[in-house]
Each structure stands twice: as structure tokens, then as C-alpha cells.
Amino acid sequence: EPDLFSKNYFSNHFKWDNDFAKEKWFMLGGSIGADKWRFEAGYNLVRINDFVYFDTKGLPSQTSGVTITSAFVQKEFKLGRFYSTNRVVWQAYDNKEAISLPNFTFFSSLYFEYELVKKVLTARIGANVFFRTKFYADAFSPATGQFYNQKTKKIGDYPIVDAFADFKWKRAVIFLKFDHINQGIPNNEYFSALHHPLNRRIFKFGVSWIFYD
């Protein structure tokens, strides 16, 4: 059932009174993998009839339907004390007026793990990389607090690199992290939505402690 906000709204800048039909969802997916080879692959298909979305004017609208197809491959590598986890996601869709997604998304984590004190203290140092191809990311309307479609500018093709070090002592983890360490490299096109940049380079530290029940 479309939410009440998309059906009825009145303010200084916007007003609408819609009689939307219920959305109908069909989802099909599956995956296959082997722990021995540290490998996994999967496929997903989603069909949404009477899909409700916010159009380029920031107004709720309903289309006959949208189909989204995606597939992923994930592989982990181990060489001595070096570990690497890599995941690639492919996406395709048929209704480009109602939705926009990056065709490819890539994530990779490379780290070195070493036991400083046997069975007591383990150190892990490495970096994560996230990348997605260009697409028309949603814009944001402060007047309604909603993200909506835009066809003005594509964002993407920008790698986000985080460096980290953590130390696991029994059930506690002390972590140090440098988010977006590559800020401005290769360019300054780091946006999460139209005109909304990602966080700048920032250093974080803390403790994660899992208590017994």
C-alpha cells in the first residue's frame, strides 16, 4: 500500500491528492558458493507493478512497472597473512524515467593480519575501496524531505578509500580508521546525491566490546 505521504500532502510549496493503486512485487533470487574456495555468486530479479516514485519535479507519481536485474560475484583471497575480499555487483533496469542505478559497483578490502600475542591479541591493518559507475543519483527536496529523480547530472566514477587498523583483545576491538583518505583524488566529484557531497577526510577511533549475555 503506498504510504499516506505519497497520497495526500499540503504545504506552502507543494500539495497533492493521489489515488494510487497498490504496488505488486515479484522477487526471485538465489546464490551459490563454496567455503573451500571462498567464492560466492548470485542473481536477483525484482518486478514492481504500479511502482510509486518521486519524479523530476519532486512530485509523487506512479508508473506501470519497473524491472531490476542484478548479479554479484564475491571472492576472498589469502596469501600468508594477507587477506583480500572483493565483490562486484552488476545491475540493469528497464524504466529509466522512474529509477536510476549504477550499472556496476565494486568493493575491495585488503588487509594484513598478525597475532601479536598468541590467542590473546590480534592486529589487522588494511584499506577498503568502494567504487560505482556514473548514474543519475537522486536529488533532495528540503521542502518535502524526500529524494526525487533528476536527469541533470550524473555522479560516480570516484573511488572512496578508507584506511584502518584494529586490535582484537579477547572480546574487545580497539579500532583506528581514516575515512575517505583519498579526498580530492582523482577529482572533487565525491557526491552521495546531487549537490550533496560525501563526508570529507576524517579520523575515527573507538572501542567495540561484546559483552556476555
Side-chain angles (χ1 to χ4, degrees):
E1 183 73 32
D3 60 57
L4 183 62
F5 180 81
S6 64
K7 286 184 173 182
N8 306 102
Y9 182 72
F10 179 83
S11 71
N12 291 336
H13 305 287
F14 290 94
K15 66 176 181 179
W16 56 74
D17 185 13
N18 299 313
D19 184 21
F20 290 144
K22 290 184 178 181
E23 291 184 339
K24 293 89 176 175
W25 288 60
F26 172 81
M27 294 177 286
L28 177 68
S31 64
I32 186 172
D35 293 338
K36 179 181 178 180
W37 298 324
R38 302 171 184 264
F39 171 84
E40 184 182 7
Y43 173 84
N44 294 283
L45 172 67
V46 179
R47 172 66 185 181
I48 310 172
N49 290 332
D50 299 317
F51 178 64
V52 176
Y53 67 101
F54 283 79
D55 62 20
T56 55
K57 296 180 181 178
L59 300 174
S61 182
Q62 188 166 51
T63 186
S64 58
V66 58
T67 302
I68 305 169
T69 306
S70 66
F72 73 89
V73 176
Q74 181 169 308
K75 172 66 177 173
E76 296 182 15
F77 299 94
K78 181 180 182 296
L79 180 61
R81 293 191 175 93
F82 286 93
Y83 298 82
S84 177
T85 300
N86 305 277
R87 184 183 180 92
V88 178
V89 179
W90 166 81
Q91 299 177 119
Y93 50 97
D94 62 352
N95 192 333
K96 291 180 170 54
E97 293 301 315
I99 195 170
S100 181
L101 298 169
N103 291 126
F104 287 95
T105 302
F106 173 75
F107 172 81
S108 180
S109 180
L110 175 65
Y111 59 91
F112 173 81
E113 188 173 277
Y114 184 74
E115 206 170 43
L116 297 176
V117 181
K118 191 174 182 179
K119 296 183 179 179
V120 177
L121 182 62
T122 302
R124 190 172 62 171
I125 301 172
N128 298 328
V129 179
F130 176 79
F131 179 87
R132 59 187 177 182
T133 54
K134 284 195 171 185
F135 70 111
Y136 287 110
D138 289 345
F140 180 72
S141 171
T144 59
Q146 292 290 318
F147 288 94
Y148 65 94
N149 287 359
Q150 61 87 19
K151 304 299 178 185
T152 304
K153 183 179 181 179
K154 290 184 176 182
I155 68 168
D157 281 358
Y158 181 89
I160 302 167
V161 183
D162 302 329
F164 65 87
D166 58 54
F167 304 89
K168 184 177 181 181
W169 177 62
K170 295 183 178 179
R171 299 177 67 87
V173 177
I174 302 170
F175 65 88
L176 310 171
K177 190 178 182 184
F178 231 134
D179 282 350
H180 198 181
I181 195 170
N182 65 308
Q183 179 193 334
I185 301 173
N187 53 55
N188 289 313
E189 295 290 320
Y190 49 92
F191 292 93
S192 59
L194 185 67
H195 307 313
H196 287 263
L198 293 162
N199 288 333
R200 298 168 64 87
R201 185 186 301 115
I202 185 173
F203 177 72
K204 299 178 181 179
F205 65 92
V207 177
S208 174
W209 198 313
I210 300 175
F211 293 96
Y212 292 99
D213 292 335

